[in-house]
Every structure is written in structure tokens, then in C-alpha cells.
Amino acid sequence: MRLKKILLLLFVYLSTIHMYGQTGNETNKPKSDAKGIIQGQLIDSKTGETLPGAIVTIDGTTIAAITDIDGNFHLRNVSPGTYKLNFKLISYATKVVSDITVTGKEARVVNISLDASSSELMEIVVEAKVNRESNVSLIIQQKNNASVSDGISAETIKRTPDRTTSDVLKRVSGTTIQENKFAIIRGLNDRYNFALINGAPLPSSESDRKAFAFDIFPANTLDNIIIVKTGTPDMPGEFAGGIIQLNTKSIPDENKQTVSISGSFNSFTTFKEFQTYKGGKSDWIGVDDGTRALSGSIPTSAGMGSASVDEKARLAKHMSYDWGIISKTAMPNTNFQYSCARNTTIFGKEFGILGALTYQKNFSTNYTIRKDFEGENGDIIVPKVALKDTSYNENTLSSALLNFSYKINQNNLLSFKNLYSINSDDRLTIRAGARDLDQTDKTWERSSARWFTQNMFYSNQLSGDHLVFQNKCKFNWNIAFSNINRTVPALRKNVYQKVAQEESDANTPYVAVIQQNGVSTFGGGNMFFSGSDEQMRSVKYDLSIPSDITKWGIKNTIKIGAYHQLRDRDFTVRSFGFSKYRKGSSIKFVDSLLLLSDNQIFSEANLGQMNLAAPYNGGFKLEESTKISDNYQASSQLHAGYFMLDTRVFEKIRLVWGARVESYNQVFSYIEFGSNSSKHIDTTVIDILPSANVIYSLNEKMNLRFAYYKTVSRPEFRELAPFSFYNFILDNIWNGDPTLKRAEIYNYDFRYEWYPSGVQMISVSAFYKDFINPIETVNRHAVSGAPELYFTNIPKSINYGAELEYRINLGIFTKNDSNILLSNTSLFSNIAFIKSEVDNKNVVGATSRPLQGQSPYVVNGGISFMHPKYDFSISVAYNIVGRRIWIVGNTQEPDIWENPRHVLDFQLTKTFKKKFEMKINARDLLAQNQIFYQDINKNGKADKNTDNYMIETRYAPTCSVSLSYKF
């Protein structure tokens, strides 16, 4: 049923695009005399504010436009040629900008700044060249932001080979990506970030952590990404690293369609043998068709609990999944993207529609060594476990975007934005190795897991931007809905073991680990089903009112607003396993079944009673191991209001200050394991979050910034859930804690900014963060079996550090602008050094350590060259993140650290005749191993001979080629 809805959505999408593709402006038609577009934005040269209501005309023509609520203008049907533009606005000097060339092939972007006039009675005319003017406007927009922020635009994104939003985020200053999808800002754990899409919040995409997987969004749907690093009252108060703002495209600038296709090669995977298992017919689109679903014949958990032995044997026949492992050849990774933009009119008003389809299929193979150790006799470290994993991953991403924008007039704009994404990860992990290495007879193991995870994400927003009260005030509103449905159907794990001195002992066969009765977490024949359905509804509205005190030289903007968010999650789990079917002397279990391979052992013939005549042979019966505490329902309500003043004093000083009040109610319901009693947690916390950002302009090119702001970090639903989950891949158990408290963070920032010329920028920053009750993942010492991880509050932690960022064009070192190499080559880098200290003085045996997930340094850097004549560019990017604690240890188990990896990327882009584009990209050229280790010798680095290497994963470089065509 869900697949039918998806196909219906895609059909409606394609039909709509086709309809608007047949109508609209004359520019849709392929004519040799195609008209062009001049577009841009008008801003105040001192304040950076957008200027609505300005008149824009082209010399020698009757073409004109008025800037809208955001200062944007569009001059359409412009014949190819070179023009002068006139910009007029009351109280501003008229500006004439020359040398604007229109080709008719694509929109000409011109961003302009106006100077306030000292006299309203005399017209002042200023002339400028377009190239210089565009650079000035870029400087103004960056240095006049209310808070410290960094970002990347669609113009820059399209010059990269990036396919997903997580790829793009790596190019934003101070940001790194963990596990190819989670954002790390200022070296902080991903739980300290907050994500927005078009101003609406994004719920956590993960059922087991507070994080959002940014790989579910294709890059071609983005208009820009902005990361805000300091707080203001009009921004969410739940962050410490940064607020990630994703903005998808709205009214298109021109009518166009783009098709791109790419393929990539990985030396570990492509054209190599790829192990997998039989899935469903719709796996190709990332959706399980029911092949892995739990049979409707299986009774409820209560029914299973009261079922007889014979009934459990009968029910086993309804769980006849295909456990076989098959081989195929891995084909190259593929990526297909299509987008269509149309700009037309409805009832004489401008109407824009933008649609995009994305389909990606990626194969990868990872080789991992997993070990576990135990301390004995003081400092002697004894190896306990050594396993080798080979993971075969097949990832599918399918998405559709459909956005509408309607400009009622220059003062009123409505937008309706929709995004639907399906992201699935189909993984087969094959494990071999030994446990009990400290014993003479070791436990040798061969095991496998089939793990399919399906994420369906839908988001829509209806928003409005309005100029009201005689066009002096701005009123903005946003109504949003999002839904994330995460399903893990039939995660199947099988385990074979034998006990012998050596694995090569031919006299001792491998035997499937199946219980006499019940289910073991570490045994075979286990099946896990989970579903998480989360919905989020939100409403946001604010009003900006100018309130100047002219005689004191003070300009004020008062901004008041409110935000309301309702969030619901329903999480369900069913856990099953096969056990031996035997019943006194009448039914005997066939022990030889335990010697069968994965392909045969759980076939339908071996489930339940195996023959019809006595003596009866028993196969496998079905057991349920679901605990009553495994399922939970949770909801939250967040109501916030804020008051903000944006005060400018004599053009040099700007103060953005105020407070935000957030009332957060969280309801969590579950059944307590052991007592079987219903538990209902209902808490409400009210936080007053003050903030102040002071910007002092030393001159037109330099700023000093000071910021103070209080924020919070609240526990995620899963972190409160008291149920346990065995992660076969990581070989550990995760537990939640319903008593977790929210963390409070007090933040202080200082920043010096210098904008030498053009789009160049140099900044130096310092920051200090004081955490109260931060949440960490801690290793609870397990007497036997896999390590147990749980979430807990620690009393206090502090973070402080410094950042250096620069974007420099090498042309700054020479006065000869004709030097093509230097004037078109840019260096960029962001370097952060952070010190983190956890207050654990009351923890027995604890030593000084940083906050979990906090890196001591983050380095992003690179160099790029873009040839202005031959339309090609080359760039090299480098990234490294300092070692950080992955899992906090205890008095018996040291902390587990993640070792740094040097990552080097290369790309070459070439455009042909403004329509064809080719990109060649090489990712992770160094392909260093990812290592998680215990620092036994405490020297601050990984030493293979002395430290405990817990996890070591090998990678290979990935090379790709993509082609795109715009028409």
C-alpha cells in the first residue's frame, strides 16, 4: 500500500511538471533569438538590509521592475547585449551600473548595494562597474549577519560533484561529516546540532541516537545551506555546535531542465564478488514489498507467551524466510538526477514551480577487525575476542521535490514546499573469529546478519512573507509538517560455533547456536522487527517593526514572534528466535539440523514437526523474546516566544539582543520490565534563554563581534527508552535511561573579521562553553557477553577554543589582474583548536578527559582554480578531525577513542557550451583505516603494539564521472 502511494506521488509530480512544461513564457520555446533575464538583490550598503520598493530600469528600453519584499528583482525578455541598469529608491542615492552582458542562455545575476543619501531634496547619482559592484554586495551580506555564521550557495554547490547534503556540508567552514551522514560542528558531538529545512525543524532520523542523517537529501534540491554558530532570540534554543539551515529552491530564475547521470568505481567493490541475500521485488527503489514483513498469522506477544510447545512449532512454519547467502557482481555506483523549473503567471501574478527527482544506488564493501580485551593481574591486558567482519552494503536513495511559489504582489509572497525521500540500507555482514581467547579451548565463531533499514521522510511547509502597515513592517509565518518512518523488518542473525584449541580442528564441527528453549541474544536463528513512526507539526510567526530614535542616531528594529511544535513517536519492537522442538519421548529434536548451512537450516521443511508418522522428528519451534519495556510511545510539546531588538548606533555599533522563553513538555509511556507496571513520565521545563550579539565595525572591511547566549540540549526519545538492543554489527548492547535531564549550555564568543576585497575573508574566533548536565554514552562493565552501553548525565564540562578561517584569492599578492593563474586561484581553510574538560572528580577511579565526541582540533582546507575563458575548474580539499572519545569507559574499561583520518578529495569540472558539464571526482584518495582504540599507554595516540585496537576498518578510494545536460 505504501509503495502505491509513492508511485502515485511520482505520477502526480511528473504530470504537473509536464503540464507546466507546455505552458508559460515564450522563453520556453527553443528560438535562436531567445530572450535573457537580469536578476539580483538590492541591499543597504551600510546595514546589509534588503531594500524593497526600489525601481530598476534598463537604459534605452521600457523594461522595468520593482524590488520585492526581499529586495529581489527580475527583468525578463531582455535581448542579448550589454546594458546599463538604473536603481532608484527614496532616501538613497541613485545608482547606475554598467557593463551588464546578457547572452540569452542563462540568467544574469547582479547583486547591488545602495548608499543612503544625506539629502532627500537633491538627487545623487553614483556610477559603478558591475563586476566590482557584485563583489561589494557579497562582502556586505557576510559582514552584516546578526550572528556568526557560515554557508554555501547553490551557485557554489553546482560547481561541485556533491550528490547529497552531507557531501555539501563538508565544504562549509568548521563542519565535518561522521559516518558519511552526521554533521560535526566545532568538533562537538552531533547531538549538539539543530537542523531546519526551510525554517521548520527536522526530527531525528535515527531511532538510536539524537542526530539527523543528511545523506537523505540530494544536493540538487538546495538553494543554500547556512550554519549559525551563535544564538539570537529568533533562533531555536536547542544547540551548542550550530544550527544547520537547509533551504530548498523556490521561484526559479529561469525556465530550464537539467539531467545528470554519474557512475563511480571503488576498488574494494566494483566488479568484484558481492555477497547478499534474497530480498523483495521493490528493493531497487529502497522499499521492502512485504518479503521481510512479520506474518499476520503470528499472534500478539501475549498470545505467544501463552502458546503451547506444539503451537510454537506450528507458528514456526509462518517464519520461513530465505536465510541463504548468494553471490553477484557489484556494478558501478549510479546516480541519476532530473530537475525542471518553470516560471509563469496565474491571474497575472508570478508563479514558480520547481521539481526534482533523484535516484542513487551505491555498493560498498568494508573489512573490519573487531577485538575485545580484559584487564587481569594489574596492568596485564588479555585479549578476549578477535573477529573479522566483511560487510556488503547496498544503499538506495530515491527522492522527489516539488515546490510552488506565488507572488501576489511585490509585498506578498506565498510558498508551498514539499520533499519526499526514501533511503534504505541493505547490509549483509559475515563474521569469523574466536571468543574466549584467554582459555585453552577457544570458542570459534562463524556468523552472519541480514539487516535492511528503510527510512521514509516527508516534509512540507506553507509559508508567507508580507510587508504590512504601509510597507514598514515585515510579517513572516510558516506552517510545517514532517514525518519520518523508520522500519527494520526481519533483521536475521545466525551463529555457528565450535570449542577447540585451534580453528583447523577437523574433528570438531561448527554447530548452530540454538537454545533448548527461549532465545539468546548471542545465539542463532534470531529475528528482530522494529518500527518507528514519528510526526512533527510546527507553526512559526514573527513581526519586525522599525523603531528609530533619529535625534540620537539610533536605528531600532523590534522583532517579536512565537513558535509551537508538537511531536509524536510510536516505537514498536518484536524479537523472535528459533529453539529446539522436543516434547518428552514423543518428539525428538533432530540434532543433525544444527550442522546444516545458512541456505538449508531454517527451510520450511525443518520448521515445526518434520514428519507425519511416529516416531516424530522435531525441527525448530518459534520463541518470542520481546520484553514488555521494548515498546514505547512518546510525545513532546514545545512552545516558545521571543523578543529581540536589533539596535544600530551611529553606523559603527550594532547590538542584537533579547530573550527567548521555551516551555518544553515531554511525555514518555512504557511498561517497566520486571514489575510489569505502566510507567508514565510527564515533565515540563521552562527555560529563559537570553542572548546578546555585539558587532563593532572598525571600518568598512573589518568587524569585531562579541556574543553571549544560553542554550539547552534535551534528551532524545530513544535515550529515555529503558529497553535493550543488541547491535550485531558493533557487538554491543544499547540501553536508555528514563531519568535523563536536559543539559544547559552557557556560550561566549569573540570574532575578528576582515574582508580584504572581493569574496575574500579572514577571521579569528575564540569561544567558551560551559555545559551543565551534558549527556554522554558510557560503557557499563558487563560481567559476561557483549559490552553494555547506556546514556547518562555527567555533572559539568567546559569547552574553549579558537578558530582561524580564511578564503583568499592569490591575486591579492599581485597587482597584475591579467595573471590568469593567480587571479583565479583561491585558498580556503578553517582550523579550530578546542580544549574540553569533564568534571568527574566525584567518580571513583576517573581521570581527566574531554567531553564525549569532542575533537581537540578540526582542519578543513583546500585550493581551487577556475578558468574564466575555458570553463573548467580544479579543486583539492583536505580534512582531518582530531581524536575523540567514541564511548566513555568505566573503572574497569578504558575510554574508546576514534583515531584521526587524513581525507583528501580531488575534482575536475568542465563545461561545454554552457549546456554540457562533466565532472571527474576522486574521494578519500589516502583511504586511511578508521581505528577505534583504548589508549593503554596514555600517550594520546594509537600504538598498535601497546594499545587495544577495538575496531579497525579498511576503506578504498572512490572515483566517479558525471555528465549533465541543461536545456
Side-chain angles (χ1 to χ4, degrees):
M1 187 66 183
R2 185 179 297 275
L3 180 59
K4 291 181 179 179
K5 292 180 179 179
I6 297 167
L7 296 176
L8 178 61
L9 174 67
L10 296 178
F11 173 76
V12 172
Y13 162 77
L14 292 172
S15 299
T16 308
I17 292 293
H18 177 74
M19 176 181 69
Y20 282 98
Q22 304 305 314
T23 61
N25 299 336
E26 290 300 313
T27 52
N28 292 341
K29 301 178 181 179
K31 294 183 178 181
S32 58
D33 57 346
K35 304 290 186 173
I37 300 172
I38 302 175
Q39 66 182 53
Q41 188 179 52
L42 205 60
I43 60 176
D44 187 298
S45 63
K46 297 295 183 182
T47 68
E49 296 176 342
T50 59
L51 298 176
I55 300 174
V56 186
T57 59
I58 302 178
D59 270 6
T61 74
T62 58
I63 300 174
I66 299 176
T67 55
D68 63 15
I69 187 173
D70 293 318
N72 296 315
F73 65 90
H74 292 78
L75 298 165
R76 304 185 183 279
N77 297 318
V78 182
S79 299
T82 302
Y83 298 95
K84 282 186 179 181
L85 260 60
N86 295 284
F87 298 86
K88 292 185 178 182
L89 182 63
I90 296 175
S91 299
Y92 285 84
T94 298
K95 178 163 284 188
V96 178
V97 181
S98 59
D99 295 343
I100 298 174
T101 303
V102 177
T103 63
K105 294 181 179 180
E106 57 184 8
R108 182 68 161 94
V109 179
V110 181
N111 296 315
I112 303 298
S113 63
L114 293 187
D115 299 320
S117 174
S118 59
S119 173
E120 297 186 9
L121 300 178
M122 182 176 64
E123 183 178 20
I124 301 174
V125 179
V126 178
E127 294 197 11
K129 298 286 187 180
V130 66
N131 291 336
R132 182 181 177 185
E133 189 61 28
S134 295
N135 289 336
V136 170
S137 67
L138 288 172
I139 294 173
I140 294 169
Q141 290 179 23
Q142 291 183 59
K143 73 186 185 71
N144 282 282
N145 286 334
S147 55
V148 174
S149 61
D150 294 290
I152 187 169
S153 66
E155 185 68 22
T156 303
I157 293 172
K158 75 178 184 180
R159 298 181 187 277
T160 72
D162 298 336
R163 297 186 298 272
T164 67
T165 299
S166 58
D167 293 331
V168 177
L169 279 168
K170 289 190 294 187
R171 303 182 187 279
V172 181
S173 296
T175 306
T176 57
I177 293 296
Q178 190 178 43
E179 298 177 36
N180 294 320
K181 55 186 176 181
F182 302 118
I184 306 295
I185 299 174
R186 281 184 164 175
L188 279 169
N189 191 301
D190 49 25
R191 68 168 297 106
Y192 295 109
N193 300 327
F194 194 88
L196 300 169
I197 180 169
N198 301 317
L202 284 169
S204 174
S205 64
E206 306 302 296
S207 59
D208 293 320
R209 64 193 294 180
K210 185 177 182 180
F212 191 86
F214 288 98
D215 60 343
I216 71 174
F217 292 141
N220 66 336
T221 63
L222 297 173
D223 186 51
N224 59 65
I225 297 177
I226 297 174
I227 297 181
V228 178
K229 297 180 180 178
T230 61
T232 54
D234 60 339
M235 299 300 293
E238 189 175 1
F239 80 99
I243 298 174
I244 303 170
Q245 300 175 324
L246 309 180
N247 297 301
T248 59
K249 297 176 181 178
S250 53
I251 289 185
D253 305 321
E254 54 186 329
N255 296 335
K256 64 181 179 181
Q257 299 181 68
T258 303
V259 177
S260 66
I261 186 170
S262 67
S264 63
F265 174 89
N266 182 291
S267 59
F268 278 1
T269 309
T270 311
F271 300 127
K272 300 291 179 65
E273 183 183 33
F274 191 86
Q275 304 277 352
T276 185
Y277 63 98
K278 185 178 179 181
K281 295 180 180 179
S282 57
D283 283 5
W284 66 273
I285 200 174
V287 178
D288 178 60
D289 63 354
T291 298
R292 303 174 180 86
L294 180 64
S295 171
S297 302
I298 303 299
T300 63
S301 295
M304 284 294 300
S306 61
S308 65
V309 172
D310 292 333
E311 184 67 10
K312 291 179 179 179
R314 186 188 65 81
L315 290 172
K317 290 187 176 293
H318 296 281
M319 303 288 276
S320 57
Y321 299 101
D322 191 333
W323 290 70
I325 295 175
I326 58 179
S327 297
K328 65 179 182 180
T329 300
M331 301 306 294
N333 299 335
T334 56
N335 176 31
F336 171 81
Q337 294 180 345
Y338 168 76
S339 64
C340 180
R342 287 291 179 265
N343 192 298
T344 184
T345 58
I346 294 181
F347 305 118
K349 308 298 182 181
E350 187 175 6
F351 179 77
I353 179 172
L354 175 70
L357 288 174
T358 299
Y359 178 78
Q360 298 177 15
K361 173 72 74 173
N362 295 310
F363 298 90
S364 63
T365 305
N366 297 327
Y367 302 98
T368 302
I369 297 174
R370 302 182 186 278
K371 295 181 179 180
D372 197 8
F373 302 82
E374 185 171 302
E376 292 185 1
N377 302 323
D379 296 330
I380 299 176
I381 303 299
V382 179
K384 296 283 290 185
V385 178
L387 304 170
K388 292 183 179 180
D389 289 0
T390 303
S391 290
Y392 302 92
N393 307 309
E394 189 171 344
N395 181 269
T396 304
L397 171 62
S398 307
S399 70
L401 175 142
L402 190 58
N403 290 347
F404 303 92
S405 295
Y406 185 57
K407 187 180 291 185
I408 301 173
N409 52 43
Q410 297 300 320
N411 299 330
N412 296 277
L413 175 67
L414 298 177
S415 298
F416 182 49
K417 298 184 177 182
N418 303 268
L419 179 64
Y420 190 89
S421 176
I422 305 169
N423 181 275
S424 73
D425 185 73
D426 197 1
R427 175 183 300 180
L428 172 67
T429 300
I430 298 176
R431 173 170 293 167
R435 301 180 187 272
D436 304 323
L437 293 175
D438 56 336
Q439 304 297 318
T440 302
D441 288 334
K442 304 170 182 60
T443 302
W444 301 94
E445 179 176 312
R446 291 178 183 175
S447 53
S448 58
R450 303 137 193 84
W451 191 337
F452 182 87
T453 304
Q454 173 184 297
N455 287 291
M456 292 185 174
F457 173 80
Y458 174 64
S459 169
N460 67 19
Q461 299 97 29
L462 178 63
S463 61
D465 301 298
H466 312 276
L467 280 178
V468 296
F469 304 127
Q470 298 180 342
N471 299 337
K472 293 183 178 180
C473 303
K474 288 185 177 181
F475 179 66
N476 302 312
W477 56 271
N478 182 298
I479 302 173
F481 169 81
S482 65
N483 174 253
I484 284 187
N485 184 281
R486 180 183 175 90
T487 306
V488 179
L491 192 168
R492 306 191 294 284
K493 175 172 67 75
N494 202 15
V495 178
Y496 295 85
Q497 291 181 345
K498 70 175 182 179
V499 178
Q501 289 188 14
E502 300 295 336
E503 197 272 341
S504 58
D505 183 356
N507 295 321
T508 306
Y510 276 97
V511 179
V513 182
I514 304 295
Q515 304 298 304
Q516 299 286 353
N517 293 289
V519 180
S520 169
T521 300
F522 311 106
N526 290 0
M527 294 158 284
F528 177 87
F529 302 79
S530 73
S532 176
D533 188 48
E534 181 170 331
Q535 296 184 351
M536 182 183 291
R537 302 168 181 84
S538 65
V539 178
K540 177 184 177 183
Y541 45 91
D542 55 58
L543 179 67
S544 298
I545 308 167
S547 176
D548 298 343
I549 307 176
T550 308
K551 66 177 182 178
W552 292 351
I554 296 176
K555 291 185 177 182
N556 267 323
T557 298
I558 300 173
K559 191 174 185 180
I560 55 175
Y563 174 74
H564 311 278
Q565 174 188 298
L566 305 177
R567 183 181 172 200
D568 297 281
R569 177 186 286 185
D570 188 6
F571 184 83
T572 57
V573 164
R574 299 288 300 272
S575 298
F576 299 90
F578 291 123
S579 65
K580 300 174 182 178
Y581 179 34
R582 65 176 74 218
K583 188 177 179 182
S585 60
S586 61
I587 299 178
K588 295 184 177 181
F589 176 73
V590 181
D591 290 321
S592 60
L593 293 178
L594 302 180
L595 302 176
L596 297 177
S597 66
D598 284 319
N599 295 27
Q600 302 171 300
I601 185 170
F602 300 123
S603 62
E604 188 173 356
N606 298 333
L607 302 179
Q609 186 174 306
M610 297 177 62
N611 58 342
L612 300 177
Y616 297 112
N617 290 330
F620 299 100
K621 67 180 186 293
L622 183 66
E623 306 274 4
E624 180 164 10
S625 58
T626 308
K627 297 190 291 293
I628 58 175
S629 59
D630 288 354
N631 301 280
Y632 65 86
Q633 294 76 44
S635 64
S636 66
Q637 293 186 29
L638 174 63
H639 300 284
Y642 64 87
F643 176 85
M644 186 175 81
L645 272 173
D646 189 345
T647 305
R648 300 174 186 271
V649 182
F650 303 121
E651 299 182 354
K652 285 283 188 180
I653 299 174
R654 183 183 180 189
L655 174 62
V656 182
W657 59 287
R660 182 182 183 92
V661 179
E662 293 192 347
S663 174
Y664 184 74
N665 170 258
Q666 191 167 50
V667 178
F668 195 88
S669 302
Y670 66 100
I671 306 296
E672 185 177 58
F673 181 69
S675 68
N676 291 354
S677 59
S678 298
K679 294 293 183 180
H680 188 71
I681 301 173
D682 189 341
T683 59
T684 299
V685 178
I686 298 176
D687 288 297
I688 299 176
L689 307 175
S691 64
N693 286 263
V694 180
I695 303 117
Y696 179 70
S697 299
L698 297 172
N699 53 47
E700 291 187 356
K701 295 184 177 182
M702 295 183 184
N703 278 341
L704 290 179
R705 293 180 179 269
F706 306 87
Y708 162 77
Y709 50 103
K710 179 185 176 183
T711 57
V712 296
S713 178
R714 302 182 177 99
E716 183 59 32
F717 290 145
R718 173 61 184 95
E719 296 171 342
L720 296 169
F723 88 94
S724 300
F725 169 67
Y726 174 65
N727 188 316
F728 174 84
I729 305 302
L730 298 177
D731 196 30
N732 55 30
I733 298 173
W734 288 78
N735 293 281
D737 182 358
T739 65
L740 287 177
K741 297 177 288 187
R742 61 97 169 85
E744 299 176 84
I745 307 106
Y746 297 86
N747 307 267
Y748 307 85
D749 278 74
F750 167 78
R751 185 171 185 171
Y752 165 76
E753 300 172 339
W754 177 35
Y755 300 87
S757 62
V759 294
Q760 299 178 104
M761 189 270 282
I762 300 173
S763 70
V764 180
S765 306
F767 59 87
Y768 179 91
K769 297 178 182 292
D770 190 356
F771 293 80
I772 309 297
N773 294 321
I775 298 172
E776 292 190 323
T777 305
V778 178
N779 186 354
R780 178 189 288 125
H781 178 68
V783 178
S784 62
E788 294 188 22
L789 310 180
Y790 70 102
F791 302 98
T792 188
N793 291 109
I794 59 172
K796 186 177 179 181
S797 175
I798 59 171
N799 282 31
Y800 54 92
E803 288 180 307
L804 168 65
E805 179 185 353
Y806 63 83
R807 296 193 303 270
I808 296 177
N809 185 289
L810 294 185
I812 196 174
F813 300 113
T814 177
K815 296 182 179 180
N816 184 8
D817 294 337
S818 62
N819 189 312
I820 292 180
L821 178 61
L822 294 180
S823 60
N824 293 283
T825 300
S826 297
L827 292 176
F828 53 91
S829 182
N830 174 272
I831 304 171
F833 296 97
I834 308 107
K835 176 70 173 178
S836 175
E837 298 177 6
V838 169
D839 179 8
N840 54 11
K841 59 185 178 184
N842 295 325
V843 180
V844 177
T847 57
S848 176
R849 64 169 176 83
L851 186 69
Q852 183 211 356
Q854 175 68 69
S855 300
Y857 61 87
V858 178
V859 178
N860 289 306
I863 183 171
S864 65
F865 171 77
M866 183 179 297
H867 200 288
K869 181 178 179 181
Y870 296 110
D871 287 333
F872 77 88
S873 63
I874 300 174
S875 69
V876 178
Y878 168 79
N879 165 256
I880 186 173
V881 179
R883 77 167 194 157
R884 51 195 171 196
I885 294 179
W886 180 48
I887 296 174
V888 178
N890 51 54
T891 56
Q892 295 164 305
E893 295 287 341
D895 301 328
I896 300 178
W897 296 83
E898 179 183 356
N899 200 49
R901 290 182 71 240
H902 298 272
V903 179
L904 189 66
D905 298 330
F906 167 83
Q907 73 173 41
L908 169 66
T909 303
K910 178 69 174 80
T911 303
F912 303 91
K913 297 183 178 180
K914 306 294 183 181
K915 289 184 177 294
F916 290 94
E917 187 174 67
M918 181 181 70
K919 296 178 182 178
I920 299 174
N921 188 61
R923 297 176 182 272
D924 200 5
L925 285 168
L926 302 178
Q928 292 188 328
N929 291 357
Q930 184 179 49
I931 300 170
F932 295 89
Y933 70 102
Q934 292 175 328
D935 190 7
I936 302 302
N937 60 14
K938 297 180 174 57
N939 66 350
K941 60 181 181 179
D943 294 317
K944 197 161 190 175
N945 294 328
T946 56
D947 293 334
N948 295 344
Y949 274 38
M950 310 294 289
I951 303 174
E952 185 173 5
T953 303
R954 290 191 294 143
Y955 294 95
T958 300
C959 300
S960 64
V961 177
S962 67
L963 299 173
S964 63
Y965 175 66
K966 182 172 67 176
F967 55 99

